[in-house]
């Protein structure tokens, strides 16, 4: 009923769900989890899922915003689901942010994935990956991470006691909120010299050599869980599909899983409309933007496209070779998305094709200013998340997004994940935060709310009230 399948249309090899794979053993392409939908109890309308919120049918349905949608990711029976209460997130009608980005009031929504147990969207995928991990009898799980995947794996390991967590992070490349989580939750934390890309290559090899279960987004089961972010967005919109989904792009797992969610909903006749997707890179870490929007000597005279699965692999190889020969490395204040070679690139291209998508990039300045607006108007978010809001503003200014269109920005991580970036932006001391700020100069912070230093004297204090 459920199986794994290579996404390369010229290969399409299938594998059982009991196999632990991170790419197709035949051709090396990424794998999907797929289903024989005809033999499964698929609801005939999305309203079917309303009952799981109001009735106490089954506790995991009620308490998990992932497993509430079990019929749409039924790779194992519901009873086997691993859950720590993930996916209880909210969609906020963000009127102040609407005016900041330039769309009409009531047309801009923020999906706060930072409200997950570990403070980021990763928990959606982790619950699904570890459901599969437990099924195959894994005792140890590992990931490479810019911080949130590691925090998520660590919290699941500590809470469920099903597996031991081993996390690999690049040295000096991880925000303190996230590192503190991995350490506090007791994960074995391995800091290696190098960046996220180096850590991912290393952990893939180590997972294979030592039979450790890998939970990075090359694990197709993890992406099944992340589909539910889209289900919850449209659930909150009374099962209406927005015009745009705007998401930050790092390793492109979200982009991959959101596209898969809409491909399946459409195939199952559960939605008629397909939203457009905008994937936003940080300009200091913009591989997808470069490949998608620049010519890069492509024979077809446009950027890289999925092209029904026949995308130009040489274009990618040449781009990466040049990156290496020029010693170019990603660098952005949005450390969560500081990634050179996104592992889900091909799946993101598929999403862009299906959702008539666009790719854009925003500067660290635009990211941090947008983050400050989000913070001042709501629950806040970490820098990478604000790329979605900054990207929306840019796309509205460019006329790509129309001000009457309904836009949902995905805020991927919690405000407290990266306190250094926030304090640096609002503060007065560039030097203290040199490592975090990089090239971003705090004198250009448009929305800084600077702390005021005063003597401990009521009259002096009164002057500032
Ligand atoms: N936003 C946040 C807060 C993230 O932590 C990440 C990825 C992304 C966006 C990008 O998402 O990879 O699906 O495109 N963080 C990973 C990690 C890489 O290790 O925590 P993506």
């Amino acid at each position: 009923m459920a199986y794994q399948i290579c996404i390369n249309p010229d290969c399409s090899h299938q594998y059982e769900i009991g196999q632990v794979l991170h790419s197709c053993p035949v051709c090396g392409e990424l794998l999907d989890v797929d289903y024989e939908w005809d033999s499964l109890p698929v609801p005939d309308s999305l309203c079917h899922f309303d009952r799981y919120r109001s009735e106490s049918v089954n506790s995991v349905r009620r308490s998990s915003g992932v497993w509430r949608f079990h019929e749409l990711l039924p790779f194992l029976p519901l009873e086997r689901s691993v859950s720590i209460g993930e996916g209880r997130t909210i969609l906020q009608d963000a009127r102040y942010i609407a005016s900041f980005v330039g769309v009409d009031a009531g047309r801009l929504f923020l999906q706060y994935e930072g409200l997950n147990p570990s403070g980021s969207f990763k928990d959606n995928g982790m619950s699904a990956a570890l459901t599969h991990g437990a099924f195959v009898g894994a005792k140890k799980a590992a990931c490479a991470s810019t911080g949130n995947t590691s925090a998520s794996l660590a919290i699941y390991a500590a809470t469920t006691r099903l597996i031991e967590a081993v996390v690999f992070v690049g040295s000096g490349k991880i925000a303190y909120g996230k590192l503190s989580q991995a350490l506090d939750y007791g994960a074995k934390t391995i800091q290696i010299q190098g960046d996220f890309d180096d850590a991912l290559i290393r952990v893939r090899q180590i997972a294979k050599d030592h039979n450790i279960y890998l939970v990075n987004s090359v694990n197709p089961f993890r992406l099944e869980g992340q589909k539910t972010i889209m289900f919850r967005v449209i659930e909150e919109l009374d099962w209406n599909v927005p015009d745009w989904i705007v998401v930050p792009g790092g390793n492109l797992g979200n982009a991959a899983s959101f596209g898969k969610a809409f491909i399946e909903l459409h195939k199952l006749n559960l939605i008629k409309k397909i939203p457009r997707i905008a994937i936003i890179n940080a300009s200091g870490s913009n591989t997808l933007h470069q490949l998608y929007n620049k010519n890069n000597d492509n024979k077809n005279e446009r950027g890289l496209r999925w092209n029904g699965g026949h995308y130009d692999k040489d274009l990618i190889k040449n781009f990466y070779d040049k990156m290496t020969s020029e010693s170019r490395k990603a660098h952005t204040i949005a450390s969560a998305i500081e990634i050179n070679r996104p592992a889900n690139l091909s799946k993101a291209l598929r999403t862009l094709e299906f959702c008539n998508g666009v790719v854009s990039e925003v500067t660290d300045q635009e990211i941090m200013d947008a983050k400050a607006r989000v913070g001042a108007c709501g629950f806040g978010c970490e820098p990478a998340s604000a790329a979605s809001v900054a990207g929306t503003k840019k796309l509205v200014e460019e006329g790509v997004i129309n001000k009457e269109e309904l836009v949902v920005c995905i805020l991927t991580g919690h405000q407290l994940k990266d306190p250094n970036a926030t304090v640096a932006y609002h503060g007065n001391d560039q030097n203290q935060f040199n490592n975090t700020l990089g090239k971003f100069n705090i004198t250009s912070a448009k929305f800084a709310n600077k702390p005021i230093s005063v003597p401990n004297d009521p009259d002096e204090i009164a002057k500032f009230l």
Side-chain angles (χ1 to χ4, degrees):
M1 286 206 280
Y3 54 94
Q4 304 182 68
I5 182 167
C6 173
I7 69 165
N8 172 1
D10 297 330
C11 176
S12 299
H13 262 78
Q14 295 188 10
Y15 307 92
E16 289 176 4
I17 63 158
Q19 283 183 268
V20 178
L21 299 167
H22 314 128
S23 59
C24 175
V26 175
C27 76
E29 193 35 286
L30 294 169
L31 299 170
D32 266 342
V33 178
D34 207 351
Y35 306 92
E36 288 165 11
W37 293 110
D38 290 345
S39 64
L40 288 160
V42 180
D44 52 14
S45 152
L46 287 170
C47 299
H48 165 89
F49 294 101
D50 290 337
R51 75 193 62 183
Y52 301 129
R53 302 184 88 183
S54 49
E55 294 169 21
S56 50
V57 183
N58 171 303
S59 67
V60 80
R61 290 264 198 197
R62 207 174 52 243
S63 64
S64 169
V66 169
W67 299 113
R68 178 153 81 246
F69 299 101
H70 179 258
E71 287 90 334
L72 300 175
L73 56 154
F75 56 86
L76 285 168
L78 183 64
E79 309 77 74
R80 286 185 170 268
S81 304
V82 171
S83 172
I84 61 166
E86 57 288 319
R88 289 148 79 160
T89 56
I90 60 167
L91 184 72
Q92 180 196 40
D93 177 352
R95 286 169 184 255
Y96 295 114
I97 304 297
S99 83
F100 171 67
V101 302
V103 300
D104 291 345
R107 306 305 282 168
L108 194 276
F109 287 77
L110 300 178
Q111 173 72 8
Y112 281 97
E113 286 300 312
L115 299 177
N116 270 290
S118 80
S120 88
F121 73 93
K122 303 285 181 182
D123 298 348
N124 294 285
M126 203 54 68
S127 65
L130 293 181
T131 295
H132 180 251
F135 170 67
V136 298
K139 295 280 174 284
K140 273 190 191 168
C143 66
S145 184
T146 55
N148 280 325
T149 308
S150 49
S152 182
L153 173 58
I155 203 173
Y156 274 84
T159 311
T160 65
R161 303 273 147 183
L162 285 169
I163 38 111
E164 249 179 79
V166 188
V167 307
F168 286 68
V169 295
S171 51
K173 293 285 180 186
I174 169 170
Y176 266 19
K178 307 173 189 183
L179 181 59
S180 73
Q181 288 181 287
L183 299 173
D184 212 27
Y185 303 151
K188 188 165 284 177
T189 303
I190 300 182
Q191 287 186 296
I192 64 158
Q193 272 175 5
D195 54 18
F196 171 81
D197 296 77
D198 299 319
L200 184 58
I201 293 170
R202 184 63 65 220
V203 78
R204 285 182 80 150
Q205 177 219 336
I206 288 189
K208 201 163 157 221
D209 293 351
H210 298 267
N211 194 22
I212 299 177
Y213 189 80
L214 186 71
V215 295
N216 279 103
S217 52
V218 289
N219 176 333
F221 294 91
R222 207 189 99 182
L223 296 188
E224 287 304 284
Q226 283 173 219
K227 293 191 307 193
T228 64
I229 301 171
M230 291 300 99
F231 303 156
R232 294 198 298 277
V233 163
I234 58 176
E235 177 182 52
E236 282 302 308
L237 295 171
D238 291 329
W239 304 116
N240 290 307
V241 175
D243 296 306
W244 286 92
I245 299 288
V246 188
V247 64
N251 218 17
L252 302 176
N254 270 334
S257 63
F258 295 177
K260 186 169 190 282
F262 290 117
I263 290 169
E264 290 173 353
L265 289 178
H266 193 252
K267 183 171 160 186
L268 296 172
N269 215 12
L270 292 169
I271 54 168
K272 297 258 178 301
K273 173 177 156 181
I274 299 159
R276 297 190 69 186
I277 191 160
I279 306 174
I280 314 297
N281 274 165
S283 53
S285 177
N286 63 355
T287 297
L288 180 66
H289 168 70
Q290 290 277 350
L291 287 168
Y292 195 77
N293 291 328
K294 305 266 156 95
N295 189 359
N296 290 309
D297 303 319
N298 189 353
K299 317 173 243 334
N300 301 324
E301 306 225 328
R302 63 171 188 169
L304 182 67
R305 292 295 184 273
W306 172 242
N307 197 16
H310 302 107
Y311 63 93
D312 189 344
K313 297 191 177 67
D314 289 342
L315 193 69
I316 303 173
K317 185 180 176 307
N318 294 341
F319 183 84
Y320 287 163
D321 286 350
K322 201 161 168 222
M323 216 174 191
T324 309
S325 71
E326 291 172 359
S327 305
R328 249 187 309 124
K329 291 263 182 204
H331 188 74
T332 167
I333 198 166
S335 57
I337 51 174
E338 193 177 76
I339 292 170
N340 299 289
R341 299 170 184 231
N344 286 292
L345 178 60
S346 54
K347 286 187 176 178
L349 294 174
R350 179 176 69 176
T351 295
L352 286 160
E353 183 172 286
F354 185 75
C355 295
N356 186 19
V358 298
V359 179
S360 192
E361 62 171 349
V362 287
T363 63
D364 282 5
Q365 164 96 48
E366 290 167 320
I367 288 174
M368 291 308 287
D369 287 338
K371 178 180 132 42
R373 290 328 289 156
V374 172
C377 301
F379 301 91
C381 65
E382 69 168 284
S385 312
S388 62
V389 174
T392 301
K393 183 170 162 50
K394 187 171 178 187
L395 292 169
V396 172
E397 280 162 8
E398 291 172 352
V400 178
I401 295 179
N402 186 308
K403 71 185 184 56
E404 286 99 39
E405 288 183 305
L406 189 71
V407 184
V408 175
C409 293
I410 311 301
L411 296 185
T412 45
H414 198 279
Q415 196 271 354
L416 292 172
K417 288 282 190 174
D418 190 351
N420 284 22
T422 308
V423 175
Y425 179 89
H426 292 291
N428 296 304
D429 191 347
Q430 179 87 25
N431 291 337
Q432 190 191 348
F433 294 102
N434 258 344
N435 253 0
T436 307
L437 288 166
K439 290 196 191 110
F440 180 74
N441 192 315
I442 53 170
T443 54
S444 58
K446 273 197 200 138
F447 305 109
N449 175 27
K450 296 206 179 292
I452 304 161
S453 297
V454 280
N456 188 7
D457 175 286
D459 295 333
E460 287 297 319
I461 293 170
K463 287 182 195 160
F464 293 96
L465 298 177

